[in-house]
Tab-separated table of all heavy atoms in Angstrom:
chain	number	residue	atom	x	y	z
A	1	ARG	N	111.587	83.948	103.359
A	1	ARG	CA	112.074	83.973	104.740
A	1	ARG	C	112.670	85.339	105.021
A	1	ARG	O	113.645	85.744	104.384
A	1	ARG	CB	113.126	82.885	104.947
A	1	ARG	CG	113.612	82.771	106.366
A	1	ARG	CD	114.556	81.575	106.508
A	1	ARG	NE	115.246	81.578	107.756
A	1	ARG	CZ	114.777	81.106	108.909
A	1	ARG	NH1	113.580	80.579	108.947
A	1	ARG	NH2	115.490	81.152	110.003
A	2	LYS	N	112.053	86.049	105.985
A	2	LYS	CA	112.512	87.398	106.277
A	2	LYS	C	111.924	87.852	107.611
A	2	LYS	O	110.823	87.473	107.965
A	2	LYS	CB	112.041	88.340	105.164
A	2	LYS	CG	112.570	89.743	105.255
A	2	LYS	CD	112.170	90.531	104.026
A	2	LYS	CE	112.811	91.894	104.059
A	2	LYS	NZ	112.526	92.671	102.863
A	3	VAL	N	112.674	88.690	108.337
A	3	VAL	CA	112.163	89.311	109.556
A	3	VAL	C	111.515	90.635	109.160
A	3	VAL	O	112.123	91.457	108.486
A	3	VAL	CB	113.281	89.542	110.593
A	3	VAL	CG1	112.745	90.322	111.791
A	3	VAL	CG2	113.874	88.214	111.049
A	4	LEU	N	110.257	90.812	109.576
A	4	LEU	CA	109.510	92.036	109.307
A	4	LEU	C	109.220	92.742	110.619
A	4	LEU	O	109.128	92.104	111.662
A	4	LEU	CB	108.179	91.709	108.618
A	4	LEU	CG	108.253	90.922	107.314
A	4	LEU	CD1	106.850	90.601	106.805
A	4	LEU	CD2	109.044	91.689	106.267
A	5	VAL	N	109.044	94.050	110.548
A	5	VAL	CA	108.686	94.845	111.726
A	5	VAL	C	107.311	95.454	111.465
A	5	VAL	O	107.101	96.128	110.453
A	5	VAL	CB	109.726	95.946	112.001
A	5	VAL	CG1	109.323	96.772	113.214
A	5	VAL	CG2	111.111	95.332	112.217
A	6	THR	N	106.364	95.210	112.375
A	6	THR	CA	105.004	95.706	112.218
A	6	THR	C	104.922	97.187	112.563
A	6	THR	O	105.875	97.767	113.090
A	6	THR	CB	104.033	94.928	113.127
A	6	THR	OG1	104.312	95.257	114.489
A	6	THR	CG2	104.133	93.426	112.911
A	7	THR	N	103.771	97.784	112.323
A	7	THR	CA	103.584	99.201	112.632
A	7	THR	C	103.672	99.467	114.132
A	7	THR	O	104.029	100.572	114.537
A	7	THR	CB	102.237	99.726	112.089
A	7	THR	OG1	101.188	98.908	112.583
A	7	THR	CG2	102.230	99.724	110.570
A	8	SER	N	103.400	98.456	114.964
A	8	SER	CA	103.516	98.641	116.417
A	8	SER	C	104.935	98.356	116.923
A	8	SER	O	105.205	98.500	118.106
A	8	SER	CB	102.522	97.736	117.152
A	8	SER	OG	102.929	96.376	117.047
A	9	GLY	N	105.833	97.920	116.010
A	9	GLY	CA	107.217	97.655	116.388
A	9	GLY	C	107.535	96.201	116.683
A	9	GLY	O	108.677	95.867	117.004
A	10	ALA	N	106.559	95.313	116.591
A	10	ALA	CA	106.797	93.886	116.829
A	10	ALA	C	107.601	93.292	115.675
A	10	ALA	O	107.441	93.680	114.524
A	10	ALA	CB	105.469	93.149	116.980
A	11	ARG	N	108.461	92.342	116.005
A	11	ARG	CA	109.257	91.647	114.991
A	11	ARG	C	108.621	90.289	114.714
A	11	ARG	O	108.245	89.584	115.638
A	11	ARG	CB	110.693	91.477	115.474
A	11	ARG	CG	111.435	92.811	115.545
A	11	ARG	CD	112.768	92.724	116.277
A	11	ARG	NE	113.617	91.624	115.889
A	11	ARG	CZ	114.562	91.661	114.937
A	11	ARG	NH1	114.782	92.786	114.298
A	11	ARG	NH2	115.301	90.609	114.658
A	12	ILE	N	108.534	89.962	113.419
A	12	ILE	CA	107.930	88.704	112.974
A	12	ILE	C	108.913	88.008	112.042
A	12	ILE	O	109.419	88.628	111.103
A	12	ILE	CB	106.636	88.955	112.195
A	12	ILE	CG1	105.605	89.668	113.047
A	12	ILE	CG2	106.061	87.662	111.643
A	12	ILE	CD1	104.433	90.177	112.222
A	13	LEU	N	109.144	86.728	112.265
A	13	LEU	CA	109.922	85.932	111.325
A	13	LEU	C	108.944	85.253	110.378
A	13	LEU	O	108.147	84.412	110.789
A	13	LEU	CB	110.764	84.870	112.027
A	13	LEU	CG	111.434	83.854	111.095
A	13	LEU	CD1	112.416	84.545	110.143
A	13	LEU	CD2	112.112	82.757	111.881
A	14	VAL	N	108.966	85.662	109.111
A	14	VAL	CA	108.170	84.989	108.089
A	14	VAL	C	109.038	83.854	107.562
A	14	VAL	O	110.160	84.081	107.113
A	14	VAL	CB	107.771	85.958	106.957
A	14	VAL	CG1	107.010	85.226	105.863
A	14	VAL	CG2	106.950	87.113	107.512
A	15	ASP	N	108.514	82.632	107.638
A	15	ASP	CA	109.264	81.439	107.226
A	15	ASP	C	108.321	80.551	106.423
A	15	ASP	O	107.750	79.589	106.939
A	15	ASP	CB	109.810	80.707	108.451
A	15	ASP	CG	110.747	79.575	108.078
A	15	ASP	OD1	111.200	79.517	106.917
A	15	ASP	OD2	111.020	78.735	108.961
A	16	LEU	N	108.145	80.890	105.150
A	16	LEU	CA	107.211	80.178	104.284
A	16	LEU	C	107.905	79.029	103.570
A	16	LEU	O	109.112	79.060	103.360
A	16	LEU	CB	106.612	81.148	103.261
A	16	LEU	CG	105.922	82.387	103.863
A	16	LEU	CD1	105.519	83.354	102.767
A	16	LEU	CD2	104.728	81.966	104.702
A	17	SER	N	107.139	78.031	103.166
A	17	SER	CA	107.719	76.863	102.499
A	17	SER	C	108.209	77.174	101.095
A	17	SER	O	109.072	76.472	100.570
A	17	SER	CB	106.696	75.730	102.451
A	17	SER	OG	105.551	76.130	101.713
A	18	LYS	N	107.652	78.220	100.467
A	18	LYS	CA	108.098	78.621	99.133
A	18	LYS	C	107.960	80.138	99.006
A	18	LYS	O	107.212	80.780	99.740
A	18	LYS	CB	107.297	77.921	98.039
A	18	LYS	CG	105.822	78.244	98.067
A	18	LYS	CD	105.089	77.487	96.986
A	18	LYS	CE	103.599	77.848	97.057
A	18	LYS	NZ	102.833	77.215	96.024
A	19	THR	N	108.683	80.715	98.065
A	19	THR	CA	108.599	82.156	97.823
A	19	THR	C	107.172	82.482	97.405
A	19	THR	O	106.589	81.816	96.554
A	19	THR	CB	109.603	82.575	96.745
A	19	THR	OG1	110.910	82.193	97.182
A	19	THR	CG2	109.569	84.068	96.515
A	20	THR	N	106.617	83.516	98.029
A	20	THR	CA	105.208	83.854	97.864
A	20	THR	C	105.056	85.347	97.580
A	20	THR	O	105.755	86.168	98.157
A	20	THR	CB	104.435	83.493	99.155
A	20	THR	OG1	104.632	82.092	99.412
A	20	THR	CG2	102.954	83.788	99.028
A	21	SER	N	104.112	85.672	96.704
A	21	SER	CA	103.763	87.061	96.421
A	21	SER	C	102.576	87.431	97.295
A	21	SER	O	101.500	86.851	97.170
A	21	SER	CB	103.404	87.216	94.944
A	21	SER	OG	103.049	88.550	94.671
A	22	LEU	N	102.789	88.390	98.197
A	22	LEU	CA	101.716	88.857	99.069
A	22	LEU	C	101.047	90.065	98.433
A	22	LEU	O	101.699	90.854	97.765
A	22	LEU	CB	102.284	89.255	100.433
A	22	LEU	CG	103.048	88.172	101.187
A	22	LEU	CD1	103.648	88.754	102.463
A	22	LEU	CD2	102.139	87.008	101.497
A	23	ASN	N	99.758	90.184	98.655
A	23	ASN	CA	98.996	91.303	98.129
A	23	ASN	C	98.493	92.181	99.259
A	23	ASN	O	98.332	91.717	100.396
A	23	ASN	CB	97.802	90.794	97.313
A	23	ASN	CG	98.243	90.060	96.072
A	23	ASN	OD1	99.056	90.553	95.313
A	23	ASN	ND2	97.723	88.865	95.879
A	24	HIS	N	98.210	93.433	98.946
A	24	HIS	CA	97.570	94.339	99.889
A	24	HIS	C	96.276	93.661	100.361
A	24	HIS	O	95.487	93.196	99.555
A	24	HIS	CB	97.264	95.663	99.184
A	24	HIS	CG	96.538	96.640	100.035
A	24	HIS	ND1	97.185	97.466	100.924
A	24	HIS	CD2	95.220	96.914	100.139
A	24	HIS	CE1	96.288	98.224	101.530
A	24	HIS	NE2	95.093	97.913	101.072
A	25	GLY	N	96.113	93.567	101.679
A	25	GLY	CA	94.910	92.945	102.231
A	25	GLY	C	95.072	91.501	102.632
A	25	GLY	O	94.174	90.926	103.249
A	26	ASP	N	96.196	90.870	102.291
A	26	ASP	CA	96.476	89.526	102.796
A	26	ASP	C	96.844	89.636	104.269
A	26	ASP	O	97.073	90.735	104.778
A	26	ASP	CB	97.627	88.871	102.028
A	26	ASP	CG	97.258	88.446	100.616
A	26	ASP	OD1	96.053	88.416	100.290
A	26	ASP	OD2	98.178	88.159	99.834
A	27	ALA	N	96.920	88.508	104.955
A	27	ALA	CA	97.304	88.523	106.365
A	27	ALA	C	98.327	87.428	106.641
A	27	ALA	O	98.269	86.339	106.069
A	27	ALA	CB	96.089	88.332	107.265
A	28	LEU	N	99.264	87.750	107.523
A	28	LEU	CA	100.230	86.777	108.023
A	28	LEU	C	99.612	86.159	109.269
A	28	LEU	O	99.216	86.873	110.189
A	28	LEU	CB	101.539	87.470	108.390
A	28	LEU	CG	102.175	88.360	107.322
A	28	LEU	CD1	103.352	89.132	107.912
A	28	LEU	CD2	102.614	87.530	106.138
A	29	GLU	N	99.499	84.838	109.289
A	29	GLU	CA	98.976	84.167	110.477
A	29	GLU	C	100.157	83.741	111.345
A	29	GLU	O	101.009	82.958	110.919
A	29	GLU	CB	98.136	82.949	110.118
A	29	GLU	CG	97.507	82.303	111.335
A	29	GLU	CD	96.564	81.167	111.003
A	29	GLU	OE1	96.196	81.007	109.822
A	29	GLU	OE2	96.205	80.424	111.926
A	30	LEU	N	100.224	84.280	112.554
A	30	LEU	CA	101.332	84.005	113.449
A	30	LEU	C	101.125	82.691	114.178
A	30	LEU	O	100.012	82.169	114.246
A	30	LEU	CB	101.497	85.154	114.446
A	30	LEU	CG	101.640	86.546	113.827
A	30	LEU	CD1	101.878	87.582	114.918
A	30	LEU	CD2	102.743	86.580	112.787
A	31	ASP	N	102.211	82.167	114.759
A	31	ASP	CA	102.146	80.889	115.463
A	31	ASP	C	101.188	80.925	116.659
A	31	ASP	O	100.698	79.885	117.083
A	31	ASP	CB	103.543	80.416	115.892
A	31	ASP	CG	104.357	81.484	116.598
A	31	ASP	OD1	103.838	82.580	116.900
A	31	ASP	OD2	105.548	81.225	116.846
A	32	ASN	N	100.869	82.110	117.178
A	32	ASN	CA	99.919	82.226	118.288
A	32	ASN	C	98.491	82.464	117.804
A	32	ASN	O	97.585	82.704	118.601
A	32	ASN	CB	100.343	83.344	119.248
A	32	ASN	CG	100.311	84.717	118.610
A	32	ASN	OD1	99.864	84.884	117.469
A	32	ASN	ND2	100.787	85.718	119.336
A	33	GLY	N	98.262	82.425	116.473
A	33	GLY	CA	96.932	82.599	115.907
A	33	GLY	C	96.585	84.033	115.540
A	33	GLY	O	95.585	84.270	114.860
A	34	ALA	N	97.379	85.005	115.983
A	34	ALA	CA	97.119	86.411	115.654
A	34	ALA	C	97.349	86.644	114.161
A	34	ALA	O	98.148	85.955	113.528
A	34	ALA	CB	98.013	87.326	116.481
A	35	LEU	N	96.653	87.635	113.621
A	35	LEU	CA	96.782	87.985	112.214
A	35	LEU	C	97.393	89.366	112.071
A	35	LEU	O	97.026	90.295	112.793
A	35	LEU	CB	95.410	87.962	111.533
A	35	LEU	CG	94.705	86.607	111.532
A	35	LEU	CD1	93.284	86.757	111.011
A	35	LEU	CD2	95.480	85.602	110.701
A	36	VAL	N	98.319	89.505	111.114
A	36	VAL	CA	98.959	90.782	110.817
A	36	VAL	C	98.629	91.103	109.360
A	36	VAL	O	99.014	90.359	108.454
A	36	VAL	CB	100.485	90.721	111.036
A	36	VAL	CG1	101.141	92.021	110.599
A	36	VAL	CG2	100.801	90.406	112.491
A	37	GLU	N	97.903	92.207	109.151
A	37	GLU	CA	97.483	92.586	107.805
A	37	GLU	C	98.644	93.180	107.009
A	37	GLU	O	99.395	94.005	107.517
A	37	GLU	CB	96.349	93.596	107.869
A	37	GLU	CG	95.807	93.957	106.493
A	37	GLU	CD	94.622	94.909	106.543
A	37	GLU	OE1	94.363	95.505	107.602
A	37	GLU	OE2	93.963	95.049	105.503
A	38	VAL	N	98.760	92.762	105.757
A	38	VAL	CA	99.775	93.276	104.833
A	38	VAL	C	99.180	94.482	104.107
A	38	VAL	O	98.106	94.374	103.499
A	38	VAL	CB	100.197	92.198	103.823
A	38	VAL	CG1	101.155	92.770	102.782
A	38	VAL	CG2	100.813	91.002	104.536
A	39	LEU	N	99.870	95.611	104.196
A	39	LEU	CA	99.450	96.833	103.510
A	39	LEU	C	100.485	97.195	102.454
A	39	LEU	O	101.679	97.008	102.666
A	39	LEU	CB	99.329	97.989	104.508
A	39	LEU	CG	98.390	97.778	105.691
A	39	LEU	CD1	98.473	98.962	106.649
A	39	LEU	CD2	96.968	97.559	105.211
A	40	ALA	N	100.023	97.715	101.326
A	40	ALA	CA	100.943	98.200	100.297
A	40	ALA	C	101.506	99.536	100.778
A	40	ALA	O	100.762	100.475	101.046
A	40	ALA	CB	100.201	98.380	98.978
A	41	ALA	N	102.820	99.609	100.909
A	41	ALA	CA	103.494	100.815	101.399
A	41	ALA	C	103.590	101.868	100.294
A	41	ALA	O	103.555	101.549	99.101
A	41	ALA	CB	104.896	100.473	101.886
């Protein structure tokens, strides 16, 4: 559970049922159906 800020400046609340390891190339599916790609910084 964490608030993230996308490259365009949008704020997203990630609220997963369990702690998860995300990988480069995974995507966060938002409540409106949009996808946000996870990049390794």
Side-chain angles (χ1 to χ4, degrees):
R1 184 175 168 84
K2 186 173 185 177
V3 174
L4 303 176
V5 179
T6 69
T7 55
S8 71
R11 291 169 47 92
I12 299 168
L13 171 62
V14 177
D15 188 15
L16 304 173
S17 61
K18 62 182 180 177
T19 302
T20 303
S21 179
L22 302 175
N23 294 310
H24 177 83
D26 288 347
L28 308 172
E29 184 175 347
L30 306 183
D31 49 7
N32 64 6
L35 298 172
V36 175
E37 184 177 14
V38 175
L39 303 175

